[in-house]
Amino acid sequence: MDQSPANGGRRASIERNTTETRIRVAVNLDGTGVYDVKTGVGFLDHMLEQLSRHSLMDLTVLADGDLHIDYHHTTEDTGIAIGMAVSKALGDRKGIARYGHAYIPMDETLTRVALDFSNRPYLIWKVAFTRDKIGDMDTELFREWFQAFAMAAGVTLHVETLYGENNHHIVESCYKALARALRAGVETDPRKRDAVPSTKGVLGGSL
């Protein structure tokens, strides 16, 4: 694993195998938004591609899950695996901006994401859908993905759709806003490249 932006990027790979899913993930936080995503869930693939493209994080996700049951395990476990890879690529989190936020409009919809790579995972989710499904995917699963990602990445994550009507626009704006906030939070600050952005000297634990 190489965590130096000067040497091709902060990279990490994860393999996560359970009786329900088998997942391989690779990330480069200092990439250009190149992706190869194959989860077997078309709409989830589309959202993860958006995450990569708009964060500029190179992302590979290859998942083989128990889709004959439903999409829950594959959705949740890809969130876990991607979060684990991001956390691993960040290492001790020295030099990062730490905080990020974004407002993303999509036609009639506006979503706000604010995050802190605090190593104190937490999710606030204020997103409402008016349909049970988008395509074949249950809309309730999107919260599960964001929860899994936040816990595994060690990020305090607030997601709120301020207004919107089209359910596709709502969820896509959530992923795009996460992408832009993530991009800001993992950026390195040349003035503090060797310092953890906390007065405690470490990220995580009590405030």
Side-chain angles (χ1 to χ4, degrees), residues 5 10 29-30 90 92-101 115-118 155 180-198 203:
R10 293 165 292 175
L29 300 181
D30 302 297
L90 285 172
D92 59 13
R93 310 194 179 199
K94 285 183 179 178
I96 64 169
R98 176 176 167 179
Y99 298 99
H101 70 275
L115 59 76
D116 174 9
F117 278 98
S118 59
V155 61
R180 297 295 297 199
L182 185 153
R183 178 178 170 182
V186 303
E187 282 291 315
T188 54
D189 186 339
R191 295 175 298 173
K192 287 289 187 179
R193 189 175 299 278
D194 296 322
V196 172
S198 170
L203 288 172

XYZ file of all heavy atoms in Angstrom, residues 5 10 29-30 90 92-101 115-118 155 180-198 203:
318
model
N 0.915 10.794 -2.051
C 0.403 11.342 -3.292
C 1.492 11.521 -4.339
O 1.238 11.399 -5.532
C -0.189 12.691 -2.854
C -0.486 12.531 -1.409
C 0.593 11.616 -0.895
N -2.534 7.743 -2.812
C -2.856 6.991 -1.606
C -3.816 5.880 -2.005
O -4.985 6.135 -2.290
C -3.476 7.924 -0.565
C -2.510 8.974 -0.027
C -3.230 10.085 0.714
N -4.026 10.890 -0.212
C -4.844 11.866 0.170
N -4.986 12.150 1.453
N -5.527 12.565 -0.732
N -7.114 7.472 -3.746
C -7.696 8.754 -3.362
C -7.174 9.903 -4.206
O -7.818 10.959 -4.288
C -7.418 9.040 -1.882
C -7.962 8.031 -0.871
C -7.619 8.473 0.539
C -9.470 7.848 -1.028
N -6.031 9.720 -4.834
C -5.410 10.770 -5.644
C -5.501 10.438 -7.129
O -4.602 10.728 -7.911
C -3.955 10.957 -5.219
C -3.841 11.311 -3.753
O -4.343 12.378 -3.368
O -3.295 10.501 -2.980
N -6.199 6.285 3.824
C -5.901 7.499 4.590
C -4.836 7.271 5.648
O -4.209 8.235 6.106
C -7.176 8.024 5.253
C -8.177 8.723 4.340
C -9.472 9.005 5.101
C -7.600 10.015 3.775
N -2.860 7.201 8.880
C -3.028 7.941 10.132
C -3.693 9.294 9.922
O -3.844 10.067 10.857
C -1.685 8.119 10.849
C -0.660 8.864 10.001
O -1.034 9.453 8.964
O 0.530 8.844 10.367
N -4.071 9.597 8.690
C -4.833 10.793 8.325
C -4.030 12.080 8.487
O -4.588 13.171 8.561
C -6.171 10.852 9.076
C -6.921 9.532 8.964
C -8.366 9.565 9.359
N -8.921 8.216 9.166
C -10.210 7.938 9.057
N -11.114 8.894 9.148
N -10.610 6.699 8.862
N -2.712 11.960 8.518
C -1.880 13.157 8.580
C -2.047 14.008 7.319
O -2.106 13.478 6.217
C -0.405 12.788 8.733
C -0.009 12.324 10.114
C 1.486 12.044 10.180
C 1.893 11.599 11.584
N 3.347 11.280 11.642
N -2.106 15.306 7.526
C -2.070 16.240 6.419
C -3.365 16.458 5.681
O -3.428 17.290 4.770
N -4.439 15.743 6.048
C -5.685 15.904 5.301
C -6.454 17.131 5.778
O -6.305 17.589 6.919
C -6.583 14.659 5.403
C -7.062 14.411 6.844
C -5.874 13.438 4.837
C -8.157 13.343 6.953
N -7.297 17.648 4.890
C -8.150 18.777 5.265
C -9.154 18.364 6.340
O -9.602 19.175 7.136
C -8.883 19.319 4.041
N -9.539 17.109 6.328
C -10.419 16.482 7.311
C -11.896 16.786 7.067
O -12.718 15.875 7.046
C -10.022 16.876 8.736
C -10.963 16.340 9.804
C -10.507 16.650 11.211
N -11.549 16.413 12.179
C -11.421 16.576 13.487
N -10.255 16.970 13.996
N -12.433 16.344 14.319
N -12.262 18.032 6.892
C -13.664 18.413 6.714
C -13.980 18.640 5.239
O -13.131 19.097 4.472
C -13.981 19.702 7.485
C -13.811 19.582 8.969
C -12.645 20.037 9.586
C -14.796 19.004 9.766
C -12.473 19.940 10.958
C -14.630 18.892 11.135
C -13.472 19.367 11.729
O -13.299 19.261 13.086
N -15.210 18.337 4.882
C -15.674 18.628 3.531
C -17.177 18.814 3.528
O -17.894 18.277 4.383
N -17.657 19.595 2.589
C -19.103 19.744 2.435
C -19.417 20.068 0.984
O -18.549 20.529 0.231
C -19.654 20.848 3.354
C -19.254 22.231 2.950
N -18.054 22.790 3.336
C -19.875 23.153 2.177
C -17.961 24.017 2.843
N -19.040 24.249 2.121
N -19.159 16.408 6.066
C -18.486 15.262 6.671
C -17.205 15.680 7.385
O -16.638 16.744 7.138
C -18.193 14.182 5.625
C -17.334 14.507 4.407
C -15.858 14.591 4.725
C -17.562 13.477 3.316
N -16.786 14.801 8.272
C -15.579 14.981 9.065
C -14.884 13.625 9.155
O -15.453 12.668 9.695
C -15.966 15.492 10.462
C -14.797 15.576 11.437
O -13.636 15.396 11.015
O -15.061 15.818 12.637
N -13.673 13.520 8.604
C -12.908 12.284 8.705
C -12.283 12.189 10.093
O -11.084 12.160 10.285
C -11.844 12.225 7.609
C -12.397 11.760 6.289
C -12.741 12.668 5.315
C -12.600 10.412 6.061
C -13.269 12.244 4.098
C -13.132 9.971 4.854
C -13.467 10.896 3.869
N -13.150 12.106 11.080
C -12.819 12.217 12.493
C -12.353 10.913 13.109
O -11.841 10.914 14.224
C -14.057 12.685 13.255
O -15.118 11.751 13.049
N -16.031 8.093 9.438
C -16.398 9.457 9.057
C -17.718 9.843 9.726
O -18.643 9.033 9.818
C -16.498 9.593 7.517
C -17.549 8.676 6.938
C -16.781 11.025 7.099
N -18.239 14.957 -3.708
C -17.564 16.255 -3.666
C -17.067 16.584 -2.262
O -15.977 17.155 -2.098
C -18.509 17.355 -4.152
C -18.942 17.210 -5.589
C -17.810 17.360 -6.585
N -17.203 18.675 -6.548
C -16.456 19.189 -7.526
N -16.232 18.496 -8.627
N -15.923 20.392 -7.411
N -17.825 16.202 -1.242
C -17.386 16.437 0.130
C -16.194 15.544 0.471
O -15.253 15.977 1.142
C -18.539 16.187 1.100
N -16.228 14.298 -0.002
C -15.114 13.382 0.226
C -13.840 13.922 -0.421
O -12.768 13.909 0.188
C -15.470 12.008 -0.332
C -14.495 10.847 -0.097
C -15.263 9.528 -0.101
C -13.399 10.789 -1.150
N -13.981 14.399 -1.637
C -12.819 14.969 -2.347
C -12.180 16.086 -1.536
O -10.949 16.173 -1.417
C -13.271 15.479 -3.714
C -12.187 16.135 -4.541
C -12.749 16.546 -5.884
N -11.830 17.393 -6.629
C -12.093 17.922 -7.817
N -13.267 17.665 -8.393
N -11.215 18.693 -8.428
N -13.022 16.962 -0.959
C -12.489 18.064 -0.154
C -11.846 17.563 1.135
O -10.785 18.037 1.549
C -13.602 19.061 0.161
N -12.479 16.594 1.793
C -11.998 16.124 3.093
C -10.681 15.383 3.042
O -9.899 15.427 3.999
N -10.410 14.678 1.935
C -9.170 13.897 1.853
C -8.025 14.673 1.203
O -6.905 14.169 1.148
C -9.379 12.563 1.091
C -10.472 11.741 1.744
C -9.668 12.799 -0.392
N -8.302 15.881 0.734
C -7.234 16.700 0.156
C -6.148 16.959 1.194
O -6.426 17.150 2.380
C -7.789 18.037 -0.344
C -8.517 17.947 -1.670
C -7.587 17.642 -2.834
O -6.509 18.263 -2.920
O -7.937 16.758 -3.641
N -4.910 16.979 0.752
C -3.811 17.268 1.663
C -3.531 18.765 1.705
O -3.650 19.465 0.696
C -2.541 16.515 1.250
O -2.230 16.815 -0.117
C -2.734 15.021 1.405
N -3.177 19.242 2.883
C -2.847 20.651 3.106
C -1.326 20.761 3.176
O -0.713 20.246 4.114
C -3.476 21.130 4.412
C -3.288 22.631 4.643
O -2.372 23.224 4.035
O -4.055 23.186 5.445
N -0.695 21.408 2.190
C 0.768 21.454 2.171
C 1.373 22.154 3.381
O 2.525 21.923 3.722
C 1.081 22.205 0.872
C -0.171 22.964 0.544
C -1.293 22.119 1.047
N 0.588 22.980 4.059
C 1.108 23.666 5.246
C 1.179 22.748 6.455
O 1.887 23.041 7.428
C 0.245 24.886 5.571
C 0.283 25.966 4.504
C -0.678 27.088 4.840
N -2.061 26.600 4.896
C -3.101 27.335 5.295
N -2.903 28.585 5.704
N -4.317 26.830 5.295
N 0.418 21.643 6.415
C 0.374 20.730 7.559
C 0.468 19.281 7.096
O -0.226 18.400 7.609
C -0.929 20.938 8.349
C -0.975 22.219 9.163
C -0.032 22.146 10.360
C -0.184 23.347 11.270
N 0.728 23.260 12.445
N 1.336 19.025 6.136
C 1.394 17.711 5.511
C 1.738 16.595 6.506
O 1.303 15.457 6.347
C 2.418 17.734 4.374
C 2.405 16.478 3.516
C 3.341 16.599 2.338
N 2.999 17.679 1.456
C 2.070 17.601 0.505
N 1.391 16.486 0.355
N 1.819 18.632 -0.284
N 2.503 16.890 7.544
C 2.948 15.859 8.477
C 2.220 15.902 9.815
O 2.641 15.247 10.775
C 4.456 16.001 8.723
C 5.266 15.751 7.457
O 4.894 14.855 6.685
O 6.256 16.473 7.242
N 1.132 16.660 9.878
C 0.416 16.807 11.148
C -0.990 16.233 11.037
O -1.690 16.427 10.038
C 0.346 18.281 11.553
N -1.427 15.530 12.073
C -2.815 15.085 12.167
C -3.679 16.313 12.471
O -3.346 17.087 13.373
C -2.967 14.031 13.275
C -4.444 13.692 13.512
C -2.193 12.774 12.917
N -4.778 16.515 11.732
C -5.590 17.725 11.936
C -6.467 17.637 13.175
O -7.698 17.586 13.111
C -6.422 17.800 10.656
C -6.532 16.381 10.212
C -5.246 15.721 10.586
N -5.817 17.609 14.345
C -6.538 17.554 15.613
C -5.579 18.042 16.700
O -4.387 17.720 16.679
C -6.996 16.132 15.924
O -7.481 16.040 17.254
N -6.777 11.186 15.471
C -8.198 11.281 15.165
C -8.892 10.035 15.679
O -8.438 8.915 15.473
C -8.406 11.429 13.664
C -8.013 12.795 13.098
C -8.067 12.790 11.576
C -8.917 13.902 13.651
